[in-house]
């Protein structure tokens, strides 16, 4: 399953498409994504964001904006004119209480 997930993820990244990898704890999701991100070409850069129960929308926005450069008012982009691949680890949608 890991080989298949890695292949599909690589192809989606090549085509500039979104992807979500999900599964049980300990099946290697983060390892697959780390391998794909480490093999990115020079024309793409990677951003890894680790989420937790304490992550707020403001802290997420600050993290994202901190890793980008500001071009004009309200316009942010990766440095060097590269394309950005963002990886959000432990993205969790808790059930409503």
């Amino acid at each position: 399953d890991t080989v298949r997930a890695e292949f599909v993820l690589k192809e989606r990244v090549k085509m500039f498409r979104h992807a979500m990898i999900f599964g049980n704890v300990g099946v290697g999701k983060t390892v697959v994504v780390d391998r794909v991100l480490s093999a990115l070409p020079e024309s793409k850069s990677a951003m890894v964001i680790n989420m937790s129960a304490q992550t707020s929308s403001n802290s997420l926005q600050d993290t994202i904006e901190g890793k980008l450069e500001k071009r004009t008012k309200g316009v942010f982009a990766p440095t060097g004119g590269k394309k950005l691949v963002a990886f959000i680890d432990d993205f969790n949608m808790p059930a409503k209480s």
Side-chain angles (χ1 to χ4, degrees):
D1 284 345
T2 359
V3 174
R4 177 179 35 227
E6 186 174 345
F7 173 78
V8 170
L9 186 58
K10 279 182 185 178
E11 293 304 307
R12 294 206 50 93
V13 168
K14 282 182 197 174
M15 296 184 300
F16 301 104
R17 300 286 181 217
H18 301 277
M20 180 181 279
I21 297 177
F22 54 91
N24 294 329
V25 175
V27 296
K29 301 176 296 290
T30 303
V31 173
V32 167
V33 174
D34 284 342
R35 281 198 298 229
V36 170
L37 294 181
S38 67
L40 285 175
E42 289 295 317
S43 62
K44 295 180 183 171
S45 62
M47 175 180 9
V48 177
I49 301 170
N50 291 305
M51 304 278 283
S52 72
Q54 288 75 35
T55 305
S56 69
S57 58
N58 288 333
S59 67
L60 178 61
Q61 182 175 350
D62 291 342
T63 301
I64 293 171
E65 288 178 357
K67 295 181 181 181
L68 299 172
E69 65 181 20
K70 191 170 186 177
R71 298 277 169 93
T72 59
K73 183 180 179 183
V75 177
F76 294 86
T79 57
K82 296 180 177 186
K83 297 285 184 177
L84 180 68
V85 177
F87 168 49
I88 302 175
D89 198 10
D90 288 334
F91 186 77
N92 190 0
M93 301 292 285
K96 272 186 161 180
S97 37

